[in-house]
Amino acid sequence: MSYTKTKIALNQLVADLVQGHTVLHQIHWYMRGEGFLFYHPKLDKYMDILSEQLDTVSERLITIDGSPYSTLKEFAEHTKIEDRSGQWNTSISEDMHRVSTVIRQLVEDYQQGVDAASEEGDAASEDVCTGYLRDLQKVLWMLQAEIGKAPEIER
């Protein structure tokens, strides 16, 4: 089986996981204000989570005979996550909204991975995506609660 749709979905995850990690790292570096001592190490944890997921998703893609994006050009061309310059004048609240936006995109990507893998009968890729979907939905719920919103997880 070629798993064409699954490979596309996993490669989208590769691009967005790299970009998402970069955005979180940028926020981590530029963060200032009340809550810094709490959020700065929290972003380290989130970056570690995305790094682990990137490795697993990329290796799964290789396992099903795919070729993960691996250049900055490919990541930039394929990511759905906004790229912008770091700013010193954002509030912690604005930063957390941006982190929430990154995680929300990854949740959407993982759902697309689940759907594609399910349709193509790739139970292992579906399992990988389902587990990470669950994990990031929980992160999204917590981030949304922190900024005073409901999780707003659609399906």
Side-chain angles (χ1 to χ4, degrees):
M1 179 152 273
S2 67
Y3 300 128
T4 303
K5 292 178 182 178
T6 303
K7 290 176 191 176
I8 291 168
L10 294 179
N11 236 344
Q12 184 63 58
L13 274 158
V14 169
D16 287 345
L17 284 162
V18 169
Q19 179 66 11
H21 186 280
T22 301
V23 169
L24 296 187
H25 216 146
Q26 180 188 71
I27 293 167
H28 176 80
W29 286 336
Y30 281 81
M31 180 177 285
R32 288 184 175 168
E34 189 174 335
F36 174 87
L37 291 176
F38 175 78
Y39 290 111
H40 197 260
K42 185 63 97 174
L43 287 171
D44 282 325
K45 179 181 174 186
Y46 291 158
M47 286 186 289
D48 288 346
I49 289 168
L50 297 190
S51 290
E52 177 186 325
Q53 291 180 6
L54 173 62
D55 196 50
T56 300
V57 168
S58 297
E59 289 174 353
R60 181 63 198 158
L61 182 54
I62 293 166
T63 300
I64 61 172
D65 203 27
S67 300
Y69 300 133
S70 59
T71 67
L72 294 174
K73 182 179 180 186
E74 289 172 313
F75 302 143
E77 288 175 348
H78 297 282
T79 188
K80 294 178 182 177
I81 297 173
E82 178 187 6
D83 190 31
R84 63 182 188 221
S85 297
Q87 300 173 4
W88 292 110
N89 61 346
T90 59
S91 68
I92 298 283
S93 177
E94 290 169 316
D95 291 339
M96 291 303 100
H97 275 86
R98 190 164 179 220
V99 172
S100 182
T101 299
V102 167
I103 300 301
R104 181 174 305 286
Q105 181 60 57
L106 293 171
V107 164
E108 290 174 14
D109 290 348
Y110 277 116
Q111 185 61 61
Q112 290 173 0
V114 168
D115 295 344
S118 175
E119 179 182 328
E120 294 182 327
D122 181 358
S125 293
E126 183 178 0
D127 182 60
V128 167
C129 290
T130 299
Y132 288 148
L133 172 64
R134 179 200 60 234
D135 294 347
L136 289 184
Q137 282 179 335
K138 183 175 180 180
V139 170
L140 183 59
W141 157 56
M142 292 180 174
L143 285 166
Q144 289 289 99
E146 178 66 19
I147 60 177
K149 294 185 172 187
E152 299 172 354
I153 295 171
E154 297 177 15
R155 191 58 178 141

